[in-house]
Amino acid sequence: MLLIECPHCGPRAEIEFRCGGEAHIARPADPSALDDNAWAEFLFYRSSPKGVHAERWNHAHGCQRWFNALRDTMSDRILATYPAGAARPNITTIEAAR
Amino acid sequence: MRFSLLSLVRNAFSNHQNWGRQWRQPEPKKTYDAIIVGAGGHGLATAFYLASEHGLTNIAVIEKGWLGGGNTGRNTTIIRSNYLYDESAALYDHALKLWEGLSQALNYNVMYSARGVLMLAHNHHDVMSFKRHIYANRLNGVDNEWLSREQVKDFCPPLNISPDIRYPVVGGALQRRGGVARHDAVAWGYARAADALGVDIIQNCEVTGFKRDASGAIAGVETTRGPIATKKVGVVAAGHTSVVMARAGLRMPLESFPLQALVSEPVKPVFPCVVMSNTIHAYISQSDKGELVIGAGTDQYVSYSQQGGLHVTTHTLDAICELVPEFRRMRMLRNWGGIVDVTPDRSPILSKTPIAGLYVNCGWGTGGFKATPGSGHAFAHTIAHDTPHAVNAPFTLDRFRTGRLIDEAAAAAVAH
Ligand SMILES: Cc1cc2nc3c(=O)[nH]c(=O)nc-3n(C[C@H](O)[C@H](O)[C@H](O)COP(=O)(O)OP(=O)(O)OC[C@H]3O[C@@H](n4cnc5c(N)ncnc54)[C@H](O)[C@@H]3O)c2cc1C
Ligand SMILES: [Zn+2]
């Protein structure tokens, strides 16, 4: 089980959280301008990287706020957590987080 | 070398010391007519049918680890074909029909055992949904029948059907042709049969990149043992599909998650069939060695760690202990994880790709073992003819653009 640092409440056990999938996927500003490829990309295509992944978490059984995390998907180590709306920290390798 | 009573007797006289190797350890050639990336059950089956049904024998299966070491060797081996949609029923039943004759076709005992797969209903919603599946299956010629609570108990006596447990059993759907097979034997049987037809199985060799010709079509692969030329590549890399396809510059509608399983200490035969409960999340059968084989859930986050959280297995054991109280004192021997590649509609992709000569077979997620023979058979056809077989024609990559999804996710929520 992961130990996750909620930016608002501090470190808590994973069972208090729901993972909301990949972060920083912006809702299209002008939906009717999108073609089928762009819709497919927005709705269904995901990075699923073997390495650093930016993902959304909801502290469901706590403050109930959404925030983002960077996690290394090989070790499951969380490299950073940051409030929703903040820019993605510039960590692209697990080494950079050490 | 064929396995037969005669070969068994002959080898008994030499104390079984002289059995030959099951497959070669060839050096990679410079060129092949086709290359399969990934020696799991699906990749090996693809190679076997390419050689046996389409006459392509100058081909290789390239595996970064050892053959059958991925999800094929890690799964809980539940086999069934009672999926809701016409497309899925056709694909999975194509596989089930091949399972029925597979040991003979491969001359290798894959221990397919049609002991019945019983899916438990715990509430009104389950009953409605299972009956809908049963009627849809019957229209598609797929066996599936409704059992009352008492019939469930008759079919699987260890189950606790008392009405005062938290999620009482109110009935079940039974597919009698469903069952289990020995996962390792499936990989080994296909590997041995493909090797005998001339297919090179190259282990400990990772595909690290793709070569393209001037038109953009596939011209070969880069591997940790050097470049190999070929015009056709089939990627069958399960949990690592997104990683491999990224090396060809393609993004995929997939996410990879850990899925766990565990086995108990071996005991005498106590559990006659496969029992599944999607509602309380329990999947259980007993192997011929006597271990209870238990499937747990996926973790909620993308991961390649091949291990999941302990709370996920604990949750499953809670459910098992309630369903079969006599298992409460059993000890669990081992637990492990595999990385499963999940599509948005929980249906697989067996398809051509935007790159000429590149084919992909993936997205089987938590439930592809049951499809191994059918998947390999249909995918071999797709590669050999550059056009899909009728059973996999709907399972394109393009369906995520057209919206023509095969939404088993909505139909089952979990797909084992
Ligand atoms: C715990 C668990 C329980 C399951 N239970 C069931 C069940 O009860 N019933 C069911 O039907 N299904 C089940 N499944 C799903 C099933 O195991 C898979 O869908 C199926 O085995 C996938 O087979 P495969 O041959 O595609 O994949 P794999 O066996 O994973 O083979 C893929 C291979 O590709 C190789 N590879 C990856 N990248 C590269 C590369 N770059 N170069 C070379 N090789 C590469 C890997 O090393 C691997 O050997 C379960 C899965 C798990 C993990
Ligand atoms: Zn919080």
Side-chain angles (χ1 to χ4, degrees), chain B residues 249-389:
Chain B
L250 292 179
R251 276 167 64 80
M252 295 296 288
L254 291 172
E255 286 190 304
S256 292
F257 300 100
L259 176 68
Q260 296 181 75
L262 58 165
V263 292
S264 73
E265 57 191 332
V267 291
K268 292 257 167 64
V270 283
F271 208 73
C273 61
V274 180
V275 165
M276 303 176 48
S277 168
N278 289 345
T279 303
I280 61 174
H281 223 134
Y283 307 90
I284 181 166
S285 66
Q286 187 174 20
S287 75
D288 292 339
K289 275 189 286 183
E291 303 153 324
L292 299 179
V293 180
I294 297 170
T298 53
D299 283 279
Q300 48 174 338
Y301 45 80
V302 169
S303 174
Y304 292 85
S305 62
Q306 283 198 342
Q307 58 185 31
L310 202 55
H311 61 291
V312 176
T313 43
T314 309
H315 176 68
T316 293
L317 290 176
D318 287 347
I320 302 260
C321 289
E322 188 170 77
L323 274 181
V324 195
E326 70 199 58
F327 289 164
R328 281 184 188 168
R329 294 171 64 190
M330 294 272 288
R331 279 164 296 206
M332 294 299 138
L333 277 191
R334 290 177 285 128
N335 75 320
W336 63 88
I339 302 301
V340 297
D341 47 328
V342 176
T343 57
D345 63 359
R346 303 295 187 274
S347 287
I349 299 166
L350 296 95
S351 178
K352 299 168 71 162
T353 69
I355 299 177
L358 183 64
Y359 307 85
V360 69
N361 181 349
C362 65
W364 291 97
T366 58
F369 176 73
K370 62 176 70 67
T372 305
S375 156
H377 187 261
F379 195 50
H381 183 283
T382 309
I383 295 176
H385 299 280
D386 194 37
T387 174
H389 186 282

Side-chain angles (χ1 to χ4, degrees), chain B residues 37-44 62-80 83 205-208 236-241 243-244 247 258-261 295-296 336-341 361-362 364-372 415-416:
Chain B
V37 182
H42 289 232
L44 292 164
I62 299 186
E63 166 57 50
K64 77 175 154 101
W66 64 95
L67 68 86
N71 293 343
T72 298
R74 294 163 187 270
N75 82 95
T76 53
T77 76
I78 299 177
I79 296 173
R80 62 183 181 88
Y83 283 73
C205 179
E206 179 173 351
V207 170
T208 52
V236 200
H240 278 75
T241 305
V243 176
V244 176
R247 293 173 183 165
L259 176 68
Q260 296 181 75
W336 63 88
I339 302 301
V340 297
D341 47 328
N361 181 349
C362 65
W364 291 97
T366 58
F369 176 73
K370 62 176 70 67
T372 305
H416 271 256

Side-chain angles (χ1 to χ4, degrees), chain B residues 144-206:
Chain B
N144 197 7
E145 63 195 84
W146 176 254
L147 299 192
S148 70
R149 189 171 145 265
E150 292 72 25
Q151 287 169 319
V152 163
K153 179 79 180 169
D154 282 347
F155 193 76
C156 187
L159 287 178
N160 176 12
I161 60 159
S162 113
D164 56 11
I165 64 175
R166 185 160 174 210
Y167 297 99
V169 175
V170 298
L174 172 66
Q175 184 173 29
R176 291 184 191 271
R177 287 158 70 225
V180 291
R182 167 111 197 265
H183 50 11
D184 292 330
V186 174
W188 298 339
Y190 272 119
R192 173 174 167 273
D195 176 89
L197 294 171
V199 175
D200 282 358
I201 302 168
I202 299 160
Q203 303 181 70
N204 294 309
C205 179
E206 179 173 351

Side-chain angles (χ1 to χ4, degrees), chain A residues 52 70 80 87-93 96-97:
Chain A
V52 180
L70 293 184
R88 176 180 171 150
N90 189 21
I91 303 172
T92 50
T93 61

